[in-house]
Amino acid sequence: MNRAVREPLCPALQWRRMGACWMVNSCFTYGTRIGLRCMASDDALRNHGNQQRNRKKVVVVGSDWAALGAAHHLCKQGFSVTVLEADKICGSTNKSSTSGAGGIHGFWYPYSNIFSLVDEIGIKPFTNWTSSAQYSPEGLEVEYPIFLDLSQLPTPLGALIYTQFLRLSLVDRLTSLPLMAAVIDFDNTDTAWRKYDLMTARELFKQFGCSQRLYREAFNPMVQVGLFAPAEQCSAAATLAMLYYFVVAHQKDFDVAWCRGTVEEKIFMPWMDSMRDEGCEFLEGSMVTDFSVNGETGSISEVVCGKDSYEADAIILAVGISTLQEIVMNSSALQTREEFLKALNLASIDVLTVRLRLDRKVNIPKASNVCFGFDDSYGWTFFHLNAIYDEFKDDPTTVIQADFYHANELLPLEDELIVAKAISYLSQCIKDLKDANVVRVEVGRFPKSLSHFFPGSYKYMMRGSTSFPNLFMAGDWIITRHGSWAQEKAYVTGLEAANRVVDHLEEGNFAKIKAVEEDEPHIQALRNLNRSINEIRAQLPLSDYFLQ
């Protein structure tokens, strides 16, 4: 068939996409199509109906990276996939399902699986790599370069040498080096997580000799925008995992690109359209209330949404902490299992966003900026959307968005008070903003939308498999040994959940998940040495007598 000639598909050819049989009678002259007639036989219709009924059914609950990642792979494997979109199921469009609906989130260099995904679905949603800055009430404090453009140095030298600290002295920066002992010791194993999870991030930095100024002007701000809460409220284990993945493992890992619009518009919508072409069904407006359990097998047979129910051979819960907790509170089936009751001990973080349109052009040097020292309760960032979003590229005005994390005390305020606070803060960072007038404001509140990795939270977090043989979990808070973080981790756990479905139902191929880049040779050598020392120490008398 001449591929250059494109016409609307007739019904029989459309059925082929769903695995049905089809018959084509065509006439060609010297390679040029002059006639095409499609005819579906009665046998084809019957076979198509049988194949549709025989396809294994998978229900995915969620609407973000983890859910869509799982659904995407399972659709390609021929399963009948129904996605119940979690942020619309549980009552609030302000809730995220896995990695946070509130705020603008970057895409860092090590997000190899997400970058492969967008290549696969044929979209180009990202900016180029961008540099960023850090501000305090005194003004500009730090400028971060694009590390890929610089000579690659062994970790952590690149971050120490190339980052431009305008006020932080070299002596203060050098006090970060003893922290490498903890970085070496924390190898993302279950043992490492349990060892460091009971300690706060602040205690970690204190124990390894960081200066007070280094903590105040570098580490605490990084934790506040990386884990979305003050360092004294964050797990040292999560802090080490986050810092290693984004900053320490390789010099280039801190380079970041941004979505050239909202993630929903630029990525999720075309991604979901591609899945609909594969037969995936997306449902909104039904709240998950319970699950029907087969008494003989112990497996879940149906997902119950009020008066409606959906048969399932396998289920994936790819939801955030607060959404899962709502489901558990409603579900008599989940309440019989300890791992779901333990998850009720977990917590989530509030996010608030403020978008401002100004009446003139204002020079904002960097597209993305981190801020500290304005309030100890919450961290915040701001973005120059004219430099990021396509829709504002040629706008004659200036559009800025400020995102506030751990925003408990901001959410109940009136919009006018929130906007006044945001403008006051922004004016201390960018002096020219004082002369600009605000002509439009948008305030977004996202309660309980981000995962809180508080000290001691690890023991309550869930793994990818559950005590129900056919119920699997995914999300940025699910335990995995992959080593990634944030959106990449959510997407990877979605692929891992899809692989568990493939294994359980014994159909289809496993998703290929790209591993994080290997440790640099000197880190590998030091970790091997550290493991040997720990093994020797474990053999000593009274090695486990004292509190660790």
Side-chain angles (χ1 to χ4, degrees):
M1 185 179 294
N2 185 352
R3 294 180 182 270
V5 180
R6 302 181 68 94
E7 295 179 359
L9 291 177
C10 64
L13 285 174
Q14 290 174 339
W15 290 332
R16 184 188 182 199
R17 289 181 175 179
M18 297 181 287
C21 298
W22 56 281
M23 299 172 61
V24 177
N25 291 333
S26 56
C27 180
F28 296 85
T29 301
Y30 299 111
T32 302
R33 187 175 68 178
I34 61 174
L36 178 64
R37 180 165 61 92
C38 296
M39 180 174 64
S41 68
D42 291 339
D43 287 341
L45 289 171
R46 283 193 294 271
N47 289 338
H48 169 63
N50 290 335
Q51 289 175 0
Q52 288 292 89
R53 285 190 293 272
N54 292 334
R55 291 168 71 193
K56 295 289 180 64
K57 297 181 175 65
V58 182
V59 172
V60 179
V61 183
S63 60
D64 214 324
W65 288 103
L68 297 183
H72 176 68
H73 181 71
L74 294 172
C75 285
K76 293 193 299 182
Q77 304 312 306
F79 294 102
S80 175
V81 180
T82 299
V83 178
L84 304 179
E85 297 187 72
D87 59 351
K88 300 176 180 68
I89 287 171
C90 290
S92 172
T93 57
N94 279 349
K95 284 186 182 176
S96 109
S97 56
T98 55
S99 60
I104 295 174
H105 299 270
F107 294 81
W108 270 260
Y109 183 86
Y111 283 18
S112 56
N113 289 283
I114 286 180
F115 293 141
S116 294
L117 166 72
V118 298
D119 289 343
E120 177 187 338
I121 57 182
I123 58 176
K124 296 185 181 299
F126 301 126
T127 65
N128 295 324
W129 304 116
T130 65
S131 56
S132 57
Q134 187 166 300
Y135 289 88
S136 76
E138 285 72 43
L140 181 64
E141 297 281 352
V142 185
E143 289 186 288
Y144 297 98
I146 299 174
F147 288 97
L148 277 168
D149 295 342
L150 304 170
S151 299
Q152 300 299 296
L153 301 177
T155 189
L157 296 180
L160 283 173
I161 294 174
Y162 294 137
T163 303
Q164 299 299 306
F165 294 91
L166 277 65
R167 292 185 175 87
L168 192 63
S169 71
L170 177 61
V171 173
D172 284 302
R173 279 178 276 159
L174 290 176
T175 65
S176 67
L177 291 178
L179 187 65
M180 284 300 295
V183 169
I184 298 299
D185 192 40
F186 183 84
D187 57 2
N188 201 43
T189 60
D190 183 72
T191 299
W193 269 90
R194 293 185 183 278
K195 176 179 179 179
Y196 286 95
D197 187 59
L198 297 177
M199 182 191 304
T200 72
R202 187 184 187 282
E203 290 169 338
L204 174 75
F205 297 131
K206 178 182 178 181
Q207 179 176 318
F208 285 89
C210 294
S211 74
Q212 182 171 333
R213 190 165 183 179
L214 177 68
Y215 170 77
R216 184 179 67 248
E217 299 182 11
F219 283 132
N220 191 43
M222 197 170 294
V223 172
Q224 284 190 306
V225 300
L227 297 180
F228 312 112
E232 67 269 18
Q233 298 184 36
C234 292
S235 155
T239 300
L240 288 168
M242 180 271 295
L243 287 177
Y244 190 71
Y245 183 67
F246 287 129
V247 182
V248 180
H250 310 90
Q251 175 184 305
K252 57 193 175 184
D253 288 348
F254 196 63
D255 287 335
V256 63
W258 304 92
C259 191
R260 300 192 337 263
T262 67
V263 170
E264 180 179 10
E265 172 196 3
K266 293 292 185 180
I267 302 177
F268 287 176
M269 290 177 66
W271 190 11
M272 292 166 69
D273 286 341
S274 72
M275 284 188 268
R276 289 188 181 97
D277 291 341
E278 297 283 349
C280 186
E281 185 177 15
F282 293 88
L283 299 178
E284 302 176 8
S286 297
M287 182 174 178
V288 175
T289 54
D290 210 345
F291 302 87
S292 297
V293 181
N294 185 313
E296 294 182 1
T297 64
S299 296
I300 292 174
S301 57
E302 291 181 328
V303 179
V304 180
C305 298
K307 296 181 180 179
D308 299 321
S309 60
Y310 303 91
E311 293 183 2
D313 297 292
I315 304 97
I316 296 174
L317 289 181
V319 296
I321 290 169
S322 60
T323 301
L324 177 69
Q325 290 172 336
E326 289 187 41
I327 295 174
V328 172
M329 294 299 289
N330 289 322
S331 171
S332 58
L334 297 188
Q335 290 167 15
T336 64
R337 305 303 168 100
E338 184 177 0
E339 70 255 52
F340 289 99
L341 294 177
K342 292 291 186 185
L344 295 176
N345 292 296
L346 296 172
S348 304
I349 290 171
D350 299 336
V351 179
L352 182 138
T353 68
V354 182
R355 183 174 295 183
L356 305 173
R357 182 185 291 271
L358 308 178
D359 63 352
R360 67 195 67 184
K361 283 289 187 183
V362 175
N363 179 38
I364 301 175
K366 305 293 183 183
S368 60
N369 306 274
V370 175
C371 304
F372 72 91
F374 295 83
D375 192 289
D376 292 336
S377 300
Y378 46 81
W380 66 287
T381 54
F382 71 92
F383 303 90
H384 185 202
L385 295 190
N386 301 78
I388 299 175
Y389 281 14
D390 289 345
E391 63 177 301
F392 301 128
K393 286 286 186 186
D394 301 317
D395 199 298
T397 65
T398 299
V399 184
I400 301 174
Q401 179 164 319
D403 296 339
F404 296 86
Y405 315 109
H406 198 256
N408 317 45
E409 61 194 64
L410 299 178
L411 256 58
L413 298 181
E414 297 292 333
D415 286 0
E416 292 78 8
L417 293 175
I418 292 171
V419 171
K421 187 181 289 287
I423 293 173
S424 171
Y425 286 173
L426 287 165
S427 298
Q428 295 178 66
C429 301
I430 307 295
K431 303 302 181 185
D432 292 346
L433 286 175
K434 294 179 180 179
D435 299 324
N437 297 312
V438 178
V439 296
R440 185 177 176 182
V441 171
E442 296 175 42
V443 177
R445 294 171 174 82
F446 302 88
K448 299 182 179 180
S449 63
L450 296 172
S451 303
H452 186 189
F453 297 90
F454 60 86
S457 60
Y458 180 76
K459 60 179 174 289
Y460 303 123
M461 291 183 180
M462 298 186 65
R463 300 179 184 273
S465 297
T466 72
S467 57
F468 294 102
N470 65 336
L471 175 61
F472 307 100
M473 305 296 299
D476 73 344
W477 59 279
I478 299 300
I479 294 173
T480 175
R481 299 302 165 214
H482 182 262
S484 51
W485 203 254
Q487 303 101 298
E488 175 82 352
K489 179 183 177 184
Y491 177 57
V492 165
T493 61
L495 297 181
E496 290 176 341
N499 286 345
R500 291 184 173 99
V501 170
V502 168
D503 183 55
H504 176 73
L505 298 181
E506 298 181 337
E507 291 185 15
N509 298 315
F510 293 114
K512 295 180 180 178
I513 301 173
K514 293 188 176 184
V516 296
E517 188 176 351
E518 290 186 354
D519 297 332
E520 293 184 359
H522 64 292
I523 299 296
Q524 292 184 35
L526 290 171
R527 281 188 165 161
N528 289 334
L529 176 62
N530 184 66
R531 291 189 189 103
S532 298
I533 293 173
N534 287 339
E535 289 172 1
I536 295 172
R537 184 184 294 122
Q539 305 301 317
L540 298 176
L542 303 177
S543 60
D544 59 353
Y545 178 77
F546 295 99
L547 180 66
Q548 299 295 313

